[in-house]
């Protein structure tokens, strides 16, 4: 485990070196946060309590989305492009023969990336949003802790989805199409555009059951106190269940791909 802790720390330091890109990301998240916040204000002025949120909760949801956009890599930008390139060039064969677990290696690095993005591109926009709008911030330390646990689980789910997308390059050779589909699905079904509680009927039920809801909708509802007691346990179980299922699926696909590499190499 010490090795993976070092890899995670390396992932944190790697993204910390891109200071100008980070500053640009903070600026972009803040600008879009203000645009969405004023849009939500107009919408909630016409429909108070829309989706089960009052205005302050809806505004908080907006800024949570800006904080988690890069943290959970809803638009990509994590390890997947690098892994797909290594698969395309064949360098992944070297990775598979190393005495480390391929999935755990990339997961550790992505956790380090997510930790940096949460601190660098998550806190600043949230603080600016709190100064400009009446946000519903928790007063209980327990809710903040539960939120961090939920965000961590969301990052793992995000990683597991993107890992499967990256492994598709073993068969597609160019995973750009799969990445684009995952990017669009992540934006729509995570609740980034609108809270999933606003989606009507069957669409809403399906959207809330898909793994992408673990990236924003569930952490946001934990932050807003929508999940308490047994409901909080169920929220964690939902995220953890998807994380486990997708990680196991990734291992299965990785195993099939490894056998393919070995056969071709032989």
């Amino acid at each position: 485990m010490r090795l993976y802790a070092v890899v995670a720390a390396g992932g944190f330091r790697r993204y910390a070196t891109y200071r100008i890109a980070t500053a640009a990301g903070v600026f972009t998240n803040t600008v879009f946060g203000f645009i969405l916040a004023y849009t939500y204000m107009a919408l909630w002025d016409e429909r108070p309590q829309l989706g089960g949120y009052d205005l302050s909760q809806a505004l908080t949801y907006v800024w949570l989305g800006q904080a988690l956009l890069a943290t959970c890599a809803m638009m990509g930008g994590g390890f997947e492009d690098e892994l797909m390139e290594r698969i395309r060039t064949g360098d992944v064969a070297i990775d598979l023969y190393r005495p480390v677990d391929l999935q755990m290696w990339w997961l550790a690095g992505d956790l380090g990336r997510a930790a940096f993005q949460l601190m660098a591109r998550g806190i600043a926009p949230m603080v600016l949003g709190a100064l400009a709008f009446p946000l519903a911030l928790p007063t209980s330390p327990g809710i903040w802790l539960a939120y961090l646990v939920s965000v961590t689980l969301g990052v793992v789910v995000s990683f597991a989805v993107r890992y499967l997308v990256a492994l598709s390059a073993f068969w597609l050779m160019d995973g750009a199409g799969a990445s684009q589909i995952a990017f669009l699905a992540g934006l729509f079904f995570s609740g980034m555009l609108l809270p999933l509680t606003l989606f009507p009927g069957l669409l809403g039920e399906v959207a809330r059951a898909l793994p992408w809801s673990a990236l924003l909708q569930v952490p946001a509802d934990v932050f807003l106190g929508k999940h308490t007691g047994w409901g909080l346990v169920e929220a964690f179980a939902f995220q953890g269940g998807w994380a486990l299922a997708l990680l196991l699926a990734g291992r299965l696909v990785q195993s099939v791909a490894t056998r393919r590499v070995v056969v071709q190499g032989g």
Side-chain angles (χ1 to χ4, degrees), residues 220-245:
D221 282 342
V222 169
F223 187 90
L224 294 171
K226 299 292 184 179
H227 298 300
T228 58
W230 183 250
L232 182 60
V233 175
E234 291 180 338
F236 288 161
F238 172 81
Q239 291 180 292
W242 268 119
L244 180 60

Side-chain angles (χ1 to χ4, degrees), residues 2-12 104-110 112:
R2 181 179 178 182
L3 171 63
Y4 300 118
V6 172
V7 173
F12 185 98
M104 284 295 297
W105 175 278
W106 290 104
L107 174 58
D110 200 56

Side-chain angles (χ1 to χ4, degrees), residues 4-265:
Y4 300 118
V6 172
V7 173
F12 185 98
R13 289 195 301 270
R14 176 183 180 183
Y15 281 85
T17 59
Y18 301 107
R19 298 174 184 174
I20 295 178
T22 299
V26 170
F27 176 78
T28 302
N29 287 143
T30 302
V31 170
F32 276 97
F34 273 90
I35 293 173
L36 286 173
Y38 283 115
T39 302
Y40 272 43
M41 288 176 68
L43 183 59
W44 258 258
D45 185 57
E46 294 294 326
R47 297 283 302 275
Q49 299 298 324
L50 185 62
Y53 302 111
D54 59 30
L55 178 58
S56 64
Q57 290 174 330
L59 292 172
T60 305
Y61 186 96
V62 168
W63 291 101
L64 288 172
Q66 296 306 306
L68 296 181
L69 180 62
T71 303
C72 292
M74 296 180 208
M75 298 178 64
F79 69 94
E80 57 272 22
D81 291 338
E82 182 180 352
L83 179 53
M84 283 190 290
E85 179 62 18
R86 294 187 68 81
I87 293 172
R88 188 186 67 81
T89 60
D91 290 341
V92 71
I94 300 173
D95 301 334
L96 293 171
Y97 282 109
R98 287 173 178 165
V100 294
D101 184 87
L102 184 68
Q103 187 183 59
M104 284 295 297
W105 175 278
W106 290 104
L107 174 58
D110 200 56
L111 288 174
R113 175 206 59 80
F116 173 78
Q117 297 290 20
L118 181 62
M119 295 175 60
R121 293 182 58 175
I123 294 178
M126 194 74 182
V127 170
L128 292 171
L131 293 174
F133 301 97
L135 303 188
L137 301 178
T139 57
S140 169
I143 295 181
W144 285 96
L145 178 60
Y147 170 69
L148 291 177
V149 172
S150 185
V151 169
T152 302
L153 290 171
V155 170
V156 176
V157 172
S158 172
F159 163 82
V161 171
R162 289 177 289 125
Y163 189 71
L164 283 169
V165 170
L167 292 181
S168 70
F170 276 107
W171 292 269
L172 300 177
M173 295 307 296
D174 182 3
S179 294
Q180 189 69 14
I181 293 173
F183 152 65
L184 293 174
L187 279 183
F188 187 77
F189 289 112
S190 66
M192 187 68 207
L193 301 179
L194 281 172
L196 300 182
T197 53
L198 272 64
F199 288 19
L202 181 61
L203 175 61
E205 294 178 8
V206 171
R208 289 187 291 272
L210 292 174
W212 290 285
S213 66
L215 277 58
L216 172 57
Q217 185 67 56
V218 175
D221 282 342
V222 169
F223 187 90
L224 294 171
K226 299 292 184 179
H227 298 300
T228 58
W230 183 250
L232 182 60
V233 175
E234 291 180 338
F236 288 161
F238 172 81
Q239 291 180 292
W242 268 119
L244 180 60
L246 292 169
L247 288 174
L248 289 175
R251 286 197 171 276
L252 177 60
V253 174
Q254 176 185 316
S255 177
V256 173
T258 301
R259 288 198 296 269
R260 182 185 181 189
V261 170
V262 171
V263 170
Q264 289 180 344

